[in-house]
Amino acid sequence: MLMAMMITEECNNCGVCVEECPNHAVFQGDPVYVIDADNCTECVGYFDEPQCVSLCPADCVVPNPARVESRDELLAKMQRLCSNAQ
Ligand code: SF4
């Protein structure tokens, strides 16, 4: 089961995830960084694994249980985001 990702309160605000997100879904929030679930595809369409999860030194990026989506739904989201960006 796939889901958009979310950042927990363990975030140390290092910001390493921001540049690595292919969908520009990560932004600085208060008090910690936030992932816009509408823009997160769990990196489906770009990478085999979520880049923010792989790179986070605080291990604070986890699946968002409020945003369960199938791989096909995530792929469609990725394609929609790509077409919106053009
Ligand atoms: Fe961005 Fe991928 Fe992390 Fe989602 S899982 S926020 S698309 S880097």
Side-chain angles (χ1 to χ4, degrees), residues 5 21-23 25-26 35 40-43 50-52:
M5 308 306 290
C21 176
N23 292 315
V26 189
I35 293 175
C40 174
T41 65
E42 204 172 318
C43 287
Q51 296 300 286
C52 53

Side-chain angles (χ1 to χ4, degrees), residues 55-70:
L55 294 167
C56 179
D59 289 331
C60 68
V61 188
V62 298
N64 184 341
R67 293 298 296 260
V68 177
E69 293 161 290
S70 69

Side-chain angles (χ1 to χ4, degrees), residues 16-32:
V16 69
C17 51
V18 174
E19 292 298 319
E20 301 304 324
C21 176
N23 292 315
H24 309 291
V26 189
F27 60 94
Q28 190 162 20
D30 181 15
V32 296

